[in-house]
């Protein structure tokens, strides 16, 4: 194996390692968030049961049977809210309603659900977009929901990106490698993800520079480019 081949192999191995670490990090964050949501629900439910038991006990002695019933209710509530899913799986429709601060994380969860059905080049691009979303997340904490820059971020991350992948998923699998207007749907998918990756990078840079006016006045590039894109719809 030549030195060039060895360098390419090392670069490929590094890319896969970084991609795997990003996915594992996203899954860990998702698990932590879900665990926190479950603990919150358990605490609220158990607190309510105890509060009701105390209020009833002020007027009617609970006795052994009442005390046992309260303990049983606490156990049942804890099991129920621990086993109940922390939240529904993100979908393009649900992402439109996600609070801005949670949007990068929820979009990353959605991307992970789509990843197995995508060709290898698109999966690599998706990993890169996931890294962009990790960087973008803390920057959105400074924006309000109605901020013009927030509207642009939501449109790209919460609408155009998931809808683009949803459109690709509607293309029958046997046709994804068949050229149409000079490009296969797989190639169109890769090109679109590259554009989205670049757009997120530019948004992140502008937010870091505080250039919100420039971000808010950007043209509807993706909307125009892919409005009638048959390969992804």
């Amino acid at each position: 194996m030549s030195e060039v081949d060895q360098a390419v192999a090392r670069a490929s191995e590094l890319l896969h390692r970084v991609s795997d670490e990003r996915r594992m990090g996203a899954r860990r964050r998702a698990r932590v968030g879900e665990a926190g949501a479950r603990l919150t629900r358990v605490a609220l439910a158990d607190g309510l049961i105890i509060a009701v038991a105390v209020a009833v006990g002020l007027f009617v002695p609970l006795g052994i049977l009442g005390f046992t019933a309260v303990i049983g209710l606490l156990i049942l509530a804890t099991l129920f809210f621990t086993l109940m899913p922390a939240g529904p799986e993100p979908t393009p429709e649900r992402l439109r309603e996600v609070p801005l601060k949670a949007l990068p994380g929820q979009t990353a969860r959605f991307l992970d659900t789509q990843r197995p059905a995508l060709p290898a080049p698109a999966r690599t691009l998706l990993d890169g977009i996931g890294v962009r979303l990790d960087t973008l997340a803390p920057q959105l904490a400074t924006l309000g929901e109605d901020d013009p820059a927030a509207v642009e971020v939501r449109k790209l991350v919460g609408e155009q990106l998931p809808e683009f992948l949803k459109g690709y998923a509607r293309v029958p699998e046997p046709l994804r490698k068949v050229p149409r207007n000079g490009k296969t749907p797989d190639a169109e998918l890769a090109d679109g993800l590259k554009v989205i990756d670049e757009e997120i990078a530019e948004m992140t840079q502008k937010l870091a520079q505080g250039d919100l006016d420039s971000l808010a006045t950007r043209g509807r590039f993706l909307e125009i480019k892919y409005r009638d894109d048959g390969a992804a719809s």
Side-chain angles (χ1 to χ4, degrees):
M1 181 181 293
S2 67
E3 293 182 1
V4 174
D5 291 335
Q6 291 176 351
V8 171
R10 285 195 297 269
S12 178
E13 181 181 357
L14 178 60
L15 178 61
H16 286 302
R17 188 182 305 124
V18 170
S19 298
D20 291 342
E21 289 175 354
R22 189 208 70 79
R23 290 196 301 275
M24 290 174 64
R27 292 190 183 100
R28 280 196 297 269
R29 286 190 294 274
R31 286 196 295 269
V32 169
E34 291 175 0
R38 289 191 177 97
L39 287 174
T40 299
R41 291 185 311 206
V42 168
L44 291 174
D46 287 353
L48 179 61
I49 292 171
I50 293 173
V52 171
V54 170
V56 171
L58 293 176
F59 300 96
V60 180
L62 295 179
I64 297 298
L65 290 178
F67 180 77
T68 303
V70 170
I71 296 299
L73 287 174
L74 289 173
I75 294 173
L76 289 175
T78 299
L79 290 175
F80 176 77
F81 287 109
T82 298
L83 298 176
M84 190 175 77
E89 286 293 324
T91 64
E93 294 73 23
R94 290 188 179 121
L95 287 175
R96 294 175 182 268
E97 308 299 328
V98 171
L100 183 67
K101 295 178 182 179
L103 183 59
Q106 290 297 307
T107 301
R109 284 185 61 201
F110 171 74
L111 296 184
D112 282 342
T113 66
Q114 301 300 299
R115 192 177 186 279
L118 301 181
R123 291 199 296 269
T124 300
L125 289 166
L126 220 60
D127 291 338
I129 290 175
V131 174
R132 302 278 192 204
L133 292 174
D134 288 344
T135 304
L136 181 64
Q139 294 178 307
L140 297 185
T142 63
L143 299 180
E145 290 284 347
D146 297 327
D147 191 298
V151 173
E152 292 301 314
V153 172
R154 179 177 291 281
K155 182 177 297 183
L156 177 64
V157 174
E159 297 179 18
Q160 292 172 333
L161 172 56
E163 287 296 336
F164 184 65
L165 292 175
K166 182 180 177 182
Y168 173 80
R170 288 197 295 265
V171 179
E173 188 170 354
L175 300 180
R176 293 177 181 177
K177 298 185 183 303
V178 178
R180 182 176 181 275
N181 298 326
K183 278 188 177 181
T184 65
D186 281 358
E188 292 271 358
L189 174 67
D191 289 347
L193 291 176
K194 288 177 185 176
V195 172
I196 292 172
D197 180 74
E198 293 168 359
E199 289 288 304
I200 296 176
E202 187 166 349
M203 285 182 170
T204 302
Q205 182 179 7
K206 289 183 180 298
L207 286 172
Q209 295 171 348
D211 194 2
L212 302 184
D213 290 337
S214 175
L215 176 59
T217 56
R218 287 182 57 80
R220 306 293 188 265
F221 178 73
L222 284 173
E223 184 178 346
I224 294 173
K225 181 175 176 61
Y226 295 108
R227 180 183 298 156
D228 300 317
D229 193 336
S233 61

